[in-house]
Coordinates of all heavy atoms in Angstrom, one line a residue:
A1 N 28.5 3.4 2.5 CA 27.0 3.1 2.1 C 26.8 1.8 1.6 O 25.8 1.1 1.9 CB 26.7 4.2 1.0
L2 N 27.7 1.3 0.7 CA 27.6 0.0 0.2 C 27.6 -1.0 1.3 O 26.9 -2.1 1.4 CB 28.7 -0.4 -0.9 CG 28.7 0.4 -2.2 CD1 29.9 0.1 -2.9 CD2 27.5 0.0 -3.0
A3 N 28.5 -0.9 2.3 CA 28.7 -1.9 3.4 C 27.4 -1.9 4.3 O 26.9 -2.9 4.7 CB 29.9 -1.5 4.3
L4 N 26.9 -0.7 4.6 CA 25.6 -0.5 5.4 C 24.5 -1.3 4.7 O 23.8 -2.0 5.3 CB 25.3 0.9 5.7 CG 24.0 1.0 6.4 CD1 24.1 0.4 7.8 CD2 23.7 2.6 6.5
A5 N 24.3 -1.1 3.3 CA 23.2 -1.6 2.7 C 23.3 -3.1 2.6 O 22.3 -3.8 2.8 CB 23.1 -1.1 1.3
L6 N 24.4 -3.7 2.4 CA 24.7 -5.1 2.3 C 24.4 -5.8 3.7 O 23.9 -6.9 3.8 CB 26.0 -5.5 1.7 CG 26.2 -5.1 0.3 CD1 27.7 -5.4 -0.2 CD2 25.2 -5.8 -0.7
L7 N 24.9 -5.1 4.7 CA 24.7 -5.6 6.1 C 23.2 -5.7 6.4 O 22.7 -6.7 6.9 CB 25.4 -4.7 7.1 CG 25.3 -5.1 8.6 CD1 25.9 -6.5 8.8 CD2 25.8 -4.0 9.5
L8 N 22.5 -4.6 6.1 CA 21.1 -4.6 6.3 C 20.4 -5.7 5.5 O 19.5 -6.6 6.1 CB 20.4 -3.4 6.1 CG 20.9 -2.2 7.0 CD1 20.4 -0.9 6.5 CD2 20.2 -2.4 8.4
Q9 N 20.7 -5.9 4.3 CA 20.1 -6.7 3.4 C 20.3 -8.2 3.6 O 19.4 -9.0 3.6 CB 20.5 -6.4 1.8 CG 19.9 -7.4 0.8 CD 18.4 -7.2 0.6 OE1 18.0 -6.0 0.5 NE2 17.6 -8.2 0.5
L10 N 21.5 -8.6 3.9 CA 21.9 -9.9 4.1 C 21.9 -10.5 5.4 O 21.7 -11.7 5.6 CB 23.4 -10.1 3.6 CG 23.6 -9.7 2.1 CD1 25.1 -9.9 1.7 CD2 22.8 -10.6 1.2
V11 N 21.9 -9.7 6.4 CA 22.0 -10.1 7.9 C 20.8 -9.6 8.7 O 20.1 -10.4 9.3 CB 23.3 -9.7 8.5 CG1 23.4 -10.2 10.0 CG2 24.5 -10.2 7.8
V12 N 20.6 -8.2 8.7 CA 19.6 -7.7 9.7 C 18.3 -8.0 9.3 O 17.5 -8.4 10.1 CB 19.9 -6.1 9.7 CG1 18.8 -5.5 10.6 CG2 21.3 -5.8 10.3
L13 N 18.0 -7.9 8.0 CA 16.5 -8.0 7.6 C 16.0 -9.5 7.8 O 14.9 -9.7 8.4 CB 16.3 -7.6 6.2 CG 16.2 -6.1 6.0 CD1 15.7 -5.8 4.5 CD2 15.3 -5.4 7.0
P14 N 16.8 -10.5 7.5 CA 16.3 -11.9 7.8 C 16.2 -12.1 9.3 O 15.2 -12.7 9.7 CB 17.5 -12.8 7.2 CG 18.0 -12.0 6.1 CD 18.0 -10.5 6.6
A15 N 17.1 -11.5 10.1 CA 16.9 -11.7 11.5 C 15.6 -11.0 12.0 O 14.9 -11.5 12.8 CB 18.2 -11.1 12.3
V16 N 15.4 -9.7 11.5 CA 14.2 -9.0 11.9 C 13.0 -9.7 11.5 O 12.0 -9.8 12.3 CB 14.2 -7.6 11.3 CG1 12.9 -6.9 11.4 CG2 15.3 -6.8 12.0
C17 N 13.0 -10.3 10.3 CA 11.9 -10.9 9.8 C 11.5 -12.3 10.6 O 10.4 -12.6 10.8 CB 12.1 -11.5 8.3 SG 10.7 -12.2 7.4
F18 N 12.5 -12.9 11.1 CA 12.3 -14.0 11.9 C 11.6 -13.6 13.2 O 10.7 -14.3 13.7 CB 13.7 -14.7 12.3 CG 13.6 -15.9 13.2 CD1 13.2 -17.2 12.6 CD2 13.7 -15.9 14.5 CE1 13.1 -18.3 13.4 CE2 13.6 -17.0 15.3 CZ 13.3 -18.1 14.8
G19 N 12.1 -12.5 13.8 CA 11.4 -12.0 15.0 C 10.0 -11.7 14.7 O 9.0 -11.9 15.5
I20 N 9.6 -11.1 13.5 CA 8.2 -10.8 13.2 C 7.4 -12.0 13.0 O 6.2 -12.1 13.5 CB 8.2 -10.0 11.9 CG1 8.8 -8.6 12.2 CG2 6.7 -9.8 11.4 CD1 8.9 -7.6 10.9
V21 N 8.0 -13.0 12.4 CA 7.3 -14.4 12.2 C 6.9 -14.9 13.7 O 5.8 -15.4 13.8 CB 8.3 -15.3 11.4 CG1 7.8 -16.7 11.6 CG2 8.3 -14.9 10.0
V22 N 7.9 -14.9 14.6 CA 7.7 -15.4 15.8 C 6.6 -14.5 16.6 O 5.7 -15.1 17.3 CB 9.0 -15.5 16.6 CG1 8.8 -15.9 18.1 CG2 9.9 -16.5 16.0
L23 N 6.8 -13.2 16.5 CA 5.9 -12.3 17.1 C 4.4 -12.5 16.7 O 3.5 -12.5 17.6 CB 6.3 -10.8 16.9 CG 5.4 -9.8 17.4 CD1 5.4 -9.7 18.9 CD2 5.7 -8.3 16.8
F24 N 4.2 -12.7 15.5 CA 2.8 -12.9 15.0 C 2.3 -14.4 15.0 O 1.2 -14.6 14.7 CB 2.7 -12.3 13.6 CG 2.6 -10.8 13.6 CD1 3.7 -10.0 13.5 CD2 1.4 -10.1 13.7 CE1 3.7 -8.6 13.5 CE2 1.4 -8.7 13.6 CZ 2.5 -8.0 13.6
G25 N 3.2 -15.2 15.3 CA 2.9 -16.7 15.3 C 2.3 -17.2 14.0 O 1.3 -17.9 13.9
L26 N 3.1 -16.8 12.9 CA 2.5 -17.1 11.6 C 2.6 -18.7 11.4 O 3.4 -19.4 12.0 CB 3.4 -16.5 10.5 CG 3.4 -15.0 10.5 CD1 4.2 -14.5 9.3 CD2 2.0 -14.5 10.4
S27 N 1.7 -19.1 10.5 CA 1.7 -20.6 10.2 C 3.0 -21.0 9.4 O 3.7 -20.1 8.9 CB 0.6 -20.9 9.2 OG 0.7 -20.2 8.0
P28 N 3.5 -22.2 9.4 CA 4.7 -22.6 8.8 C 4.8 -22.1 7.4 O 5.9 -21.6 7.0 CB 4.6 -24.1 8.8 CG 3.8 -24.4 10.1 CD 2.8 -23.4 10.1
A29 N 3.8 -22.2 6.5 CA 3.9 -21.8 5.2 C 4.1 -20.3 5.1 O 5.0 -19.8 4.2 CB 2.6 -22.2 4.5
Y30 N 3.4 -19.5 5.9 CA 3.6 -18.0 5.8 C 4.8 -17.7 6.3 O 5.5 -16.7 5.8 CB 2.4 -17.4 6.6 CG 1.1 -17.4 6.0 CD1 -0.1 -17.0 6.7 CD2 0.8 -17.9 4.7 CE1 -1.4 -17.2 6.2 CE2 -0.4 -18.1 4.1 CZ -1.5 -17.7 4.9 OH -2.7 -17.7 4.3
A31 N 5.3 -18.4 7.4 CA 6.7 -17.9 8.0 C 7.8 -18.3 6.9 O 8.6 -17.4 6.8 CB 6.9 -18.9 9.1
I32 N 7.7 -19.4 6.2 CA 8.7 -19.7 5.2 C 8.6 -18.7 4.1 O 9.7 -18.2 3.6 CB 8.5 -21.2 4.7 CG1 8.8 -22.2 5.8 CG2 9.5 -21.4 3.5 CD1 8.4 -23.6 5.5

């Protein structure tokens, strides 16, 4: 459980967020 939570928190979510930023074409300030 600890390993799954840390993997999601530290690796998966930033990667998913980057995809959402690109998908919606957010401005630089909102993307950051």
Side-chain angles (χ1 to χ4, degrees):
L2 291 172
L4 175 63
L6 293 177
L7 176 65
L8 289 171
Q9 177 70 44
L10 300 176
V11 179
V12 175
L13 285 189
V16 169
C17 184
F18 182 83
I20 291 175
V21 164
V22 173
L23 175 66
F24 284 90
L26 297 183
S27 67
Y30 291 169
I32 294 169

